[in-house]
Every structure is written in C-alpha cells, then in structure tokens.
Amino acid sequence: MDFFSYRDHTLMCEEVPVREIAKQAGTPVYIYSAKTATEHVARIQEAFAPIDPLICFSMKANSNHTLLTRLLAQGVGCDVVSGGELFRALKAGCSPDKIVFAGVSKTDGEIETALKTGILMFNVESIAELENIDKIAGELGTPGRVALRLNPDVDPETHRYITTGKLENKFGIDMKVAAAVLDDWHFKNVSFVGFHLHIGSQITQTKPYAESITKTLALIEHARNKNHPVEYLNVGGGFGINYFGNEARTMPEYAEVIVPLLKDQGLKILFEPGRFIVGNAGILVTEALYIKESGAKRFVMCDAGMTDLMRPSLYQAYHKIWPVTSPIEFDSIADPEQDPRLVLTDVVGPICESGDFFAQDRRIPLVSRGDLLSVFSAGAYGFTMSSTYNSHPRPAEVLVEGSEWNVVRNRETYEDLIRDEVI
Amino acid sequence: MDFFSYRDHTLMCEEVPVREIAKQAGTPVYIYSAKTATEHVARIQEAFAPIDPLICFSMKANSNHTLLTRLLAQGVGCDVVSGGELFRALKAGCSPDKIVFAGVSKTDGEIETALKTGILMFNVESIAELENIDKIAGELGTPGRVALRLNPDVDPETHRYITTGKLENKFGIDMKVAAAVLDDWHFKNVSFVGFHLHIGSQITQTKPYAESITKTLALIEHARNKNHPVEYLNVGGGFGINYFGNEARTMPEYAEVIVPLLKDQGLKILFEPGRFIVGNAGILVTEALYIKESGAKRFVMCDAGMTDLMRPSLYQAYHKIWPVTSPIEFDSIADPEQDPRLVLTDVVGPICESGDFFAQDRRIPLVSRGDLLSVFSAGAYGFTMSSTYNSHPRPAEVLVEGSEWNVVRNRETYEDLIRDEVI
C-alpha cells in the first residue's frame, strides 16, 4: 500500500508531481510519503488493537528526523540499535519510556547513556552483555531493565543476510541458556522484565512468528514458575512488504495468527516494525544520464548508484523501476517478457563497480537521456545504508505531506566529504 | 609488503605500537602506514622505469587527504571518478595535468568543472558521453582531451563485482565501435589523445594485461593509419595484492610482461593503481566487546562492523585478522586447521545484519573481552566504502610516519549524523 500513483502518465507522491520535486531538489533524491508511513502505523494499531501493543519503530530502516517526528505523533516509540539512534530518537522527541535498545555490541558508553536516559529496556543479546549492563548499572547507581533476546532457532525463510533467529546467527540467547540464567538470577542492578524476539527481516509468512512465539510462551511459563514476573513480550519486527506485487501478508493476516496466541497471557506486547512502516513509503528518483548499447545489452546509466541504495548489490534485492513520466502503465503489463513496448535493460549507476546496478536484464519502457526513473519501495534500508564511496555526496531527502513538500535532509556537498579530515 | 610487524608480541605500525594509537584515538580506527604506500609507489616506478609511466593513484581505493599528499609528493597524479574526487585531488594539491577522469555517468556539472580545471584527459566510457563532453566543451569554449575507454572483452579472473572489462559490463566502449568512431571522427571540441583500459580489480595474473594490451595495440595501429596521433595508453590499474599470503604477482613480474609490449610504441603510458599502493598499507583496529558461545560457534562481537569495512559482506572478501597483542605468531601457524592453540571463531560487528561479519569459521587465537584485533589489508576500499548505517558514526583515520602518528580524519560525532538534516 502506498500513496504513489500515476496521474496523466506522470508519477505523483500524494498530491505532488515527482518531476517537480526532482526539478527543484535535483537528483538523486529520496522522496517519502508521510501518509503512506502513518497509514501503515494505523494498520498495525488497528489489526492488533485487541492486544494494544507498543509499536517501537525500527530506526535502522529509516532514521530521518522529520519523518520520525510524524511517526512519534502517532504514539509510536523507537527501537534503537546504537547510541547514534538513541541520540536521534531523543532529538526527535521520543519519550525514553518508549525506547528499547537492541544490538550485539553495545559499548560501555552507549549502555551508560541509555541507563541515564531511563529507556524502557535493553534487549540483551548475550550473557556477557547482561553481566556488563549489570556492572555498569551498579557503578552508576542507576538500575536498568532488561529483556532477554531469545534465539528461537526458527527459519524465517528470507535472505541469509537478514536471517537473525537461527542458532548459527550472532543474535540473541539460546533458549536453554536463557532458562538457566533465569533459574539462577543473581543480577542486582538490572531487573528482568521479559523476552525479545526478532527472527529476521522481510518475512512473508505467518508461520515463523507462530513458531517462535509458541516456543517463547513455554519459556514464559517456566520463568513465571520460577517467580519471575514476566511483564513484556517483544515480538520484534520483520513483517515483509511488497517489492514485486502482492507477496506480503496483510496486518490482519498476521494478527489472525499472533493475537490469539498473546491475548490472554497477561503480557504487554511490543512490536518493532521498520520496513513495514516505511519501505513502500519512499522512492529514489534518479536521472538517466547516458544510454549505451554494449554487446547484447542496453545500459541506462543513472546519476544514482549503489552508494545511494545498496540493496540490489548487497542482497540482489528486487526494486520495481519505472519512468517518472511514461505513457505505458506498469499495471497494464500482463507479461513483461512478451510485451513489445518494453526493452531489455540494465539500470546502472555511476560507481566504478560492476556490482553498481539497480536492475539487470529488466524489461522496462525505453529510457532516453534526461528521463527520470523512480526506484520504488526504497523507503527502508535506503538512505540509512548510503555511503560516500567514489566521493559521491549522499542524496537529499524530501518529505511529502498532501500537497506540501519539503527538503528534510540537504544534499551533501563536496565540503561535507572532507569536513572531518585534518586539512 | 608492509611495515606492520609484531615486536615483543605486540603489533607495530612502522615504529608505533598499534595499541598506543588505539588507546589514545579510540576504536574502531583505521591506521595507515605512509611508508608502505610510498614504498609501493617506488616499486611501480622502479619496475616500469623503462617506459616511465605517469602513475595516477586511484582515489576510490583511499581518498584520505593527508595520505594523498604523501603520494603526490612522489610525483603521482590522480585517477578520479567523480566531481567529489576531483575536488579532493585539487584540494590535496594535485596538478590538473596529472588528473584523469573516468566513470560511466559523469554529470554535466562534473564535466564542466573538469574542463575548466584543465585536467589531462577524460576516460570516456560511451559514445553518448563523448557527444556530451564535446557539446559542453563547445558551449564553454574550452576544448577537452579524451581517451576512449575500451572494453576489450577480457576475463580478469576476479570477483564478478570487480570485473569491468567484459562485454556484459557497463564499462568502456566495444573495440569495434571505438574503431568506427575514430574512422568518422567529427568532434570539434575534444581531441582524441589515446586509449584507456581497466579490466578489473585484484587481478593476480599477468595474462589479462598482455591480452588487453595486445588487442589495444592493434587498434592503435588502426587509429594511426587513420591519421590519429595516438599519444597515450592508459593501462588502468587492478594489480592484485596479498590478502592471504603470496597470491599476488610482484611489480617486476608485471613489468616483465608489460614493458616489452609497450617500450617502443611511441606512447606515453599511464597506470591507475589504487589497491596495490594502499591495500596493505592500512589496518582496521577494533575492540572485542563481548564473547558468546552460541550453538557450535564462538562469536567475538567487535565495535567495528560492515559499516566500517564492507568488503567481507559485499564480496565475501578474506582479510587476515589477528590480535594486536598475541603470544602466538601468525607465521608460526603451519596449518590453522590442526593448530590446537587456535579457536574456531566468527568475528562479527555491532550491526543488526547477519551479513555483518569480518570472518566466519576462522581459526584464530582465543580472544577475550577488551582485546584489540587488527583486520589487515584494509587500506583500500575500507574507509571509502564506509557508511553510517545503524547510525554508527564513521571511524577515525590515523597516519603513521616512522615514529610519528597523527589523526588525519576525526571520528564522526552523533551531531555529524544529523548535520545535513532539517531539524
């Protein structure tokens, strides 16, 4: 679901023509639809109303300040994975008691800041980390709250780089180890408040959730029998979105499986969606600078590349790509392989790597020099993963709200590239 | 070859103990040995003295300002692939007549700046780009010099992401197309000065060079027969380095094959090495924050991750990793699989991705919390590919020169993360 649509053959973001933004803000540019993101939050809230979860937005998906303020206005909290994200969350006005802090390598400094801030809880990834938080909390005289992140050894059936809940992953605590720790809880400066799950990203099945929750409920019973009042269960995120078409599950489909499992358990439920909220809420707009026929291929050379959007190179991820202005409607294509209006194309970037591509052997309308292309579903893990490789300044970010639009992050300059260097 | 060595079981960069730098500058930190880089330049100059090449350092490998000034002092020029790199090259004091500009998607603004700067030449990647440079040069009244980057359709036998000279790659111009363009040269504002080759990166064989140069010499003869005075041949870069041990060729081995081919051709020769100069000149130093045994594995959780050094995630690249202080000498290991002093380890980072690792199933000495690890051969495509994903500020860079060391790029701050955002 999103509020990007073609009107008179030109792409609109909500009520604003994308080409107008590109003209004024330049390319490459990320354009976010606020309404798409907030609508996704509303859908989670609605589907899961029976268990009234706290939604902690996974900031690693998109940490843009202004966009984040719009989500916070819906009562959303933050899932942070670093001191940098904690800093951003607080800057955007997130209440500390709505912040959860995950990540396998929390530094002493990050832990100290989080304790002093009074965040809701740490999602603790290892016993060594638990001991360290306890030690630092003791030294500071500032008690902390911890959830144990479990590694339920469940296969989420997604890309191996975004699989996080199997035993061979670095994340979370083995369930037997967690049980043993609770049996012999001797930490004086941290209180155990519940469990955390996060089994992966872009999960398009309900079964992995059911499986990991069911395993965890058994552990919750065990913990309660040992006199641990288990207050919270953080189910994590990972809800898949549509990159191709309709491969994702809807929130009601997830809720149908998850709500009955959790409804009468006396638990406060947390969710940590990121991609689900913002993935389809953003596009990356790029200009085609050169066209080249090389051997059997037509290359469209764009001004955006892997430095702006890493997912195709890193995960071989698919992103729909379509001209910002096109008489051919995407939805009118029955079979791209057979449609004579489409041309076999590699959409590539300016970076000096063969891995710098957005699409290979993709059939899209004929693109000419100066045309604008939209790379869709780029709102999550887009800008946050960007780099300045090849000394390409990072792109601008624009937020659209109805018929208004604003640059919410300025395009980097050459001076920015060397700002931290000793010249 | 490098000037990193263990003295009394602790790692030295030239004459400075690495642990001292880490203590004062913090971790993660990139540490460069100036002497290693300049020695590599000297080796190229020496081996290729008979053809007296201009070495244009490939800035995408490492664009650190201070390090670059040390290379420029050796008479080296710059291979730039963007306006940002051109900006950096000039800032470091590179003479414009030693700058060559490659890249498949040069923007009009970048071309304009390069023309006004009076760079030595553009490496032109497509006919569309040639037409565009000619047009802009005409509008500006500033003639330009161009080399045609050829796509010689040669397999460099390296990772497919760093293969750039095969027909299915986006780079360069098909040799037949180049011949046809020269036969019918009608560009008024640019002069054709020669050819450019660059067939890939981390090439450890001499054969691909011989093959592509031989193909190009035939085309040079063709061009000269058509009254094109061919002045330059830019052989590109790609010289492989040792990541494992001794897999790379030495400069004399390359020279032995390349020099005889080029010696009496009446050509000014250019090279564009990057990795060869700086790859082994840098290490990334990281602290082990937590140790976790999960299932069959021992995980060492570091404070550096894929955001600092992308190569293991992106290319499954091997980097030697060893404790900064260790009684076990790397060179004393006959067979890591059999050595009982070593422990099967995953060295991973703080980033919330399973792809965030430096090594998987690697046998290294036992690492404890607080130990420093050195990730070797990280001087090329290390910092330049870094990002702030997960809102991790980018690391500091240190340059060692003999017994002196200086921070040459300051560690990013949380404020840096949001500097360009509209708050």
Side-chain angles (χ1 to χ4, degrees), chain A residues 28-44:
Chain A
V29 59
Y30 274 100
I31 301 176
Y32 306 128
S33 154
K35 193 175 167 188
T36 306
T38 54
E39 171 68 21
H40 280 123
V41 171
R43 287 190 181 189
I44 303 171

Side-chain angles (χ1 to χ4, degrees), chain A residues 237-423:
Chain A
F239 304 121
I241 65 167
N242 292 324
Y243 285 102
F244 293 91
N246 289 303
E247 70 267 32
R249 301 281 72 72
T250 62
M251 269 303 126
E253 286 176 287
Y254 285 116
E256 192 186 337
V257 171
I258 295 174
V259 167
L261 289 171
L262 297 178
K263 206 170 44 177
D264 301 312
Q265 301 286 355
L267 292 165
K268 177 84 189 139
I269 303 301
L270 306 182
F271 282 122
E272 298 172 333
R275 189 190 313 263
F276 183 83
I277 294 173
V278 293
N280 290 325
I283 61 174
L284 173 63
V285 178
T286 180
E287 185 181 332
L289 296 184
Y290 302 105
I291 311 296
K292 178 163 67 174
E293 313 273 351
S294 177
K297 281 199 187 182
R298 182 176 170 88
F299 289 94
V300 172
M301 321 273 198
C302 301
D303 62 0
M306 66 190 280
T307 51
D308 305 299
L309 178 66
M310 193 67 180
R311 300 187 71 257
S313 292
L314 187 59
Y315 312 118
Q316 293 76 47
Y318 173 94
H319 284 267
K320 172 182 155 186
I321 297 173
W322 210 250
V324 165
T325 302
S326 174
I328 306 169
E329 284 173 36
F330 181 82
D331 290 335
S332 74
I333 311 293
D335 177 1
E337 297 310 312
Q338 302 298 329
D339 198 310
R341 299 171 299 174
L342 304 184
V343 181
L344 194 70
T345 306
D346 273 24
V347 181
V348 302
I351 305 304
C352 291
E353 302 251 334
S354 293
D356 178 33
F357 59 82
F358 291 144
Q360 292 181 305
D361 297 321
R362 182 84 61 88
R363 290 178 59 85
I364 59 172
L366 191 76
V367 176
S368 304
R369 175 171 164 81
D371 286 355
L372 297 174
L373 293 174
S374 171
V375 183
F376 288 87
S377 307
Y381 306 100
F383 189 90
T384 58
M385 297 188 88
S386 66
S387 76
T388 59
Y389 181 44
N390 279 203
S391 292
H392 269 267
R394 286 177 289 187
E397 295 178 285
V398 161
L399 185 66
V400 175
E401 296 175 275
S403 54
E404 299 276 309
W405 68 273
N406 290 289
V407 173
V408 290
R409 184 182 172 103
N410 294 307
R411 185 177 304 287
E412 273 188 342
T413 64
Y414 292 155
E415 285 293 344
D416 284 332
L417 295 173
I418 57 167
R419 188 185 299 280
D420 288 312
E421 296 203 16
V422 178
I423 307 285

Side-chain angles (χ1 to χ4, degrees), chain B residues 136-157:
Chain B
I136 295 171
E139 287 164 3
L140 287 179
T142 310
R145 284 170 298 276
V146 298
L148 299 184
R149 175 173 181 174
L150 300 174
N151 185 327
D153 199 19
V154 163
D155 185 355
E157 298 165 27

Side-chain angles (χ1 to χ4, degrees), chain B residues 20 58 70 104 156 163 167 203 241 248 263 282 318 329 359 369 382:
Chain B
E20 262 312 299
S58 175
R70 303 305 187 263
V104 298
T163 294
L167 272 193
I203 302 170
I241 65 166
K263 206 170 43 177
Y318 173 93
E329 285 173 35
R369 174 170 165 83

Side-chain angles (χ1 to χ4, degrees), chain A residues 163 170 292 315 353-354 390, chain B residues 163 170 172 292 315 353-354:
Chain A
T163 294
K170 66 183 176 182
K292 178 163 67 174
Y315 312 118
E353 302 251 334
S354 293
N390 279 203
Chain B
T163 294
K170 66 183 178 182
K292 178 163 67 176
Y315 314 119
E353 302 251 333
S354 293

Side-chain angles (χ1 to χ4, degrees), chain B residues 337-352:
Chain B
E337 298 309 312
Q338 301 298 329
D339 197 310
R341 298 172 298 173
L342 305 183
V343 181
L344 193 70
T345 305
D346 273 23
V347 181
V348 303
I351 306 303
C352 291

Side-chain angles (χ1 to χ4, degrees), chain B residues 31 39 72 87 145 188 238 310 316 369 393:
Chain B
I31 300 176
E39 171 68 20
L72 296 181
F87 169 82
R145 284 170 298 276
K188 300 273 182 282
M310 193 68 180
Q316 293 75 49
R369 174 170 165 83

